Amino acid sequence: MTHDELKGLVPVFALDALTPADEEELVAHLKVCRECSRLLDDHRETAGMLGFAASSQRAPADLRDRIMSQASRTAQMRATSAPVQQQRSSPPPWRWHWAGLAAACILALVAGGLAFLRIDSQTEPLTQQQIVIARQREVLDLISSPDSIMLSMVPTPASRGAEGKAFISDTEGSAAVVVSGLDPPGDDVYTLWLIAEYDPKPVTDFVPEDGLALLPVEAPVRPDMTLAVTREPDPGRSSPAGPVIMSAYRPEDLA
Amino acid sequence: MRSRTGKPSKVDEQFDEAELVGGLAAGDERCLAALYDRYGSAALGLAFKICGNRTIAEDIVQEAFLALWQRPDRFDAKRGSAGAFLMGIVHHKAVDAVRREESVHRREDNFAGGAPEFSEDEVVDAAWISMRRQKVLAALRQLSDVQREALELAYLQGLTYSDVAARLNIPLGTAKTRMRDGMIRMRALLSQSEGTGSYDS
């Protein structure tokens, strides 16, 4: 869907009246579009006000008591930007699948030459290839590290079957995204974004090799941030214009 | 007015929602009690209207207040009112319940006892909610019939736009347009109303 089409869905979303497929696409878009997010704030206020149209109902006395009793036993979760340490003794088996994909990316680079990542770079090809391979190996270490957190990228209908994982290391203050099954972008490029407070920052433009891409994120991915892949009409964009392909949100309370 | 904890509540003074939610963030249970006293009956009315089942409606209200208690940081006073925020949580949970459990469509006739009766302690809160309700109903009356119908089906019956289209035998695009235009008009009308007579003062 275009931006205007998605924008038109915002009031319907505020009413909790979207179909699941539309909702999925709009939620992904909201993570990267400040305009639509602000519009949603306004419409949520309106929708919340609509709730007062229903007749009030006197609650039983014990409902208040139940709520207060449960609240006194329920810990509050607090937003925090402090790094979270993971305590794991060994990498779980599912990591090896993604580590294998990452290794495949490196082999593809070595065997086939540079085909993706940093397509806007002015570096000489051989030097750049060596740099990229070194960075890919660092990413492979990150993926295999028991200290990193893995998040599944949530695909939108525009993903057309692609899937991805994000690996976040608070210890290293970095992250990586591994994506597989991406369609060739043709004249477009894919872009990875790091989003905090609806403010998307481009991480890298890329073109996948055989559908695969291994994307280092040399910045901390803190709680309440989102990683998103979009398909853009041109590289070097400072804000996304194309559809979201997939995204991963790091909850504030994920440890 | 006194809260039912016997302590002077924030509602006794000026009802400052942002301050109350700030109190929640500081872990002050009295602020949760004050918000419940103000919005509990309206929240239950909305949950019951959508799901039509008293037990489930009470559970939804309980979950909504506890969600606010657990994550008060999700409310941002700059982005809207606490009342609308809370009703949004209730609505979302009620719609989820309706779509998850078809059985809840077996509506009960009404709460036992019919119309709500409020004790003396609750009169101020009830009057305040009533005033807000009248403003919303007045705004709804200014919508076109088709816009109002679409909003009521979507919001108060928990239907998706495709359900609304099927129910009214209209194209999907028409259903979305009626809902969107109705929301834009409601937003303008409620903003006007807020400008001429405060909700929160």
Side-chain angles (χ1 to χ4, degrees), chain B residues 58-176:
Chain B
E58 289 179 11
D59 287 347
I60 287 165
V61 171
Q62 183 171 344
E63 287 175 21
F65 275 96
L66 284 171
L68 184 60
W69 168 253
Q70 284 187 284
R71 295 299 306 271
D73 57 295
R74 290 202 192 281
F75 169 68
D76 181 349
K78 294 192 290 291
R79 294 158 71 180
S81 66
F85 181 77
L86 181 68
M87 296 299 262
I89 299 174
V90 170
H91 185 265
H92 192 72
K93 289 182 179 296
V95 167
D96 270 356
V98 165
R99 292 178 189 163
R100 197 171 53 240
E101 299 286 345
E102 284 299 319
S103 61
V104 301
H105 284 296
R106 295 197 300 269
R107 292 173 178 272
E108 298 172 357
D109 290 334
N110 207 332
F111 283 128
E117 296 174 5
F118 294 97
S119 68
E120 190 177 344
D121 279 356
E122 298 165 313
V123 166
V124 172
D125 287 325
W128 188 89
I129 291 294
S130 175
M131 181 183 73
R132 181 170 280 203
R133 179 166 188 257
Q134 292 310 314
K135 287 182 177 178
V136 174
L137 291 177
L140 277 169
R141 281 194 289 271
Q142 293 184 62
L143 301 184
S144 71
D145 289 345
V146 293
Q147 289 171 350
R148 186 168 52 251
E149 179 181 46
L151 288 192
E152 287 177 355
L153 284 171
Y155 193 79
L156 294 179
Q157 294 195 28
L159 301 184
T160 64
Y161 73 82
S162 63
D163 295 332
V164 171
R167 178 77 65 91
L168 299 177
N169 197 25
I170 56 178
L172 290 174
T174 304
K176 279 190 280 194

Side-chain angles (χ1 to χ4, degrees), chain A residues 15-17 22 41-42 45 47 52-53 55 57-60 64 66 68 70-71 74 76-78 252, chain B residues 24-25 27 36-37 41 45 58 62 66 69-71 79-81 91-92 99 111 117 133 155 160-161 187:
Chain A
L15 291 165
D16 292 318
D22 286 344
D41 287 342
D42 288 342
E45 175 72 10
F52 291 100
S55 301
Q57 296 287 348
R58 188 179 183 196
R64 187 180 194 273
R66 291 203 307 263
M68 297 311 299
Q70 196 165 343
T74 304
Q76 290 180 300
M77 298 177 191
R78 298 179 192 284
E252 292 173 0
Chain B
L24 283 187
Y36 177 84
D37 290 342
S41 62
E58 289 179 11
Q62 183 171 344
L66 284 171
W69 168 253
Q70 284 187 284
R71 295 299 306 271
R79 294 158 71 180
S81 66
H91 185 265
H92 192 72
R99 292 178 189 163
F111 283 128
E117 296 174 5
R133 179 166 188 257
Y155 193 79
T160 64
Y161 73 82
R187 182 179 159 205

Side-chain angles (χ1 to χ4, degrees), chain B residues 177-193:
Chain B
T177 300
R178 288 179 185 178
M179 293 162 71
R180 186 194 63 213
D181 292 350
M183 283 291 282
I184 291 169
R185 180 83 176 120
M186 278 299 290
R187 182 179 159 205
L189 290 165
L190 290 172
S191 297
Q192 272 178 7
S193 172

Side-chain angles (χ1 to χ4, degrees), chain A residues 21-238:
Chain A
D22 286 344
E23 182 170 320
E24 191 177 353
E25 191 165 353
L26 180 60
V27 166
H29 173 71
L30 286 167
K31 289 174 181 167
V32 298
C33 181
R34 184 187 292 267
E35 179 188 355
C36 288
S37 295
R38 285 179 174 161
L39 185 64
L40 179 61
D41 287 342
D42 288 342
H43 282 297
R44 276 198 167 138
E45 175 72 10
T46 304
M49 292 298 297
L50 276 176
F52 291 100
S55 301
S56 293
Q57 296 287 348
R58 188 179 183 196
D62 71 326
L63 178 57
R64 187 180 194 273
D65 295 340
R66 291 203 307 263
I67 291 170
M68 297 311 299
S69 169
Q70 196 165 343
S72 68
R73 298 194 308 268
T74 304
Q76 290 180 300
M77 298 177 191
R78 298 179 192 284
T80 174
S81 57
V84 178
Q85 296 291 330
Q86 283 292 97
Q87 298 295 328
R88 291 199 189 107
S89 57
S90 60
W94 38 256
R95 285 173 184 268
W96 298 117
H97 168 70
W98 292 94
L101 284 178
C105 284
I106 296 172
L107 287 174
L109 275 173
V110 172
L114 184 65
F116 67 116
L117 283 181
R118 297 294 184 192
I119 60 178
D120 53 344
S121 171
Q122 299 301 308
T123 314
E124 288 297 317
L126 182 62
T127 306
Q128 183 181 5
Q129 184 172 352
Q130 290 170 332
I131 292 170
V132 169
I133 291 171
R135 288 173 61 206
Q136 307 291 321
R137 285 187 172 137
E138 288 175 12
V139 170
L140 184 57
D141 289 341
L142 190 151
I143 291 172
S144 307
S145 166
D147 293 327
S148 65
I149 300 164
M150 189 190 81
L151 301 175
S152 293
M153 304 285 284
V154 179
T156 69
S159 69
R160 299 165 57 89
E163 56 181 337
K165 301 283 181 188
F167 299 85
I168 300 165
S169 170
D170 288 320
T171 310
E172 300 295 327
S174 61
V177 170
V178 181
V179 188
S180 66
L182 282 173
D183 286 339
D187 293 335
D188 298 342
V189 294
Y190 291 103
T191 305
L192 176 66
W193 304 87
L194 180 59
I195 305 158
E197 290 289 320
Y198 307 114
D199 185 19
K201 302 287 187 201
V203 175
T204 186
D205 299 316
F206 66 98
V207 174
E209 176 83 358
D210 293 331
L212 280 172
L214 180 55
L215 310 164
V217 181
E218 293 170 347
V221 179
R222 292 187 294 270
D224 214 20
M225 285 184 166
T226 295
L227 285 159
V229 173
T230 64
R231 183 169 173 161
E232 302 294 341
D234 39 44
R237 295 191 61 85
S238 58

